[in-house]
Amino acid sequence: MAVPKRRMSRSNTRSRRSQWKATAPHLVECSNRACRKPKPPHVACPNCGQYDGRQVIAPA
């Protein structure tokens, strides 16, 4: 296992950590014509409860 021989400087540590960015979640609109709310892809709509044109969960 690799073990660093020297301590990494604060500027190097911070410049490396500056590349860690959170990405916004990708959203698509619900396929239900009455709903059309944004939802994550490949997930049942939390608003109307439909997935792929079928009712899969009770609407909220």
Side-chain angles (χ1 to χ4, degrees), residues 2-59:
V3 178
K5 232 177 200 354
R6 302 230 179 241
R7 179 177 175 171
M8 186 175 272
S9 69
R10 181 181 288 179
S11 66
N12 281 350
T13 302
R14 288 180 176 171
S15 66
R16 180 172 40 85
R17 286 184 184 156
S18 71
Q19 301 306 315
W20 282 58
K21 296 180 181 71
T23 58
H26 181 69
L27 298 175
V28 296
E29 67 178 20
C30 179
S31 59
N32 182 5
R33 291 185 187 206
C35 180
R36 296 290 187 204
K37 301 263 179 162
K39 67 173 192 73
H42 308 289
V43 173
C45 180
N47 188 48
C48 67
Q50 287 196 2
Y51 181 76
D52 199 25
R54 292 176 296 142
Q55 191 72 32
V56 291
I57 57 175

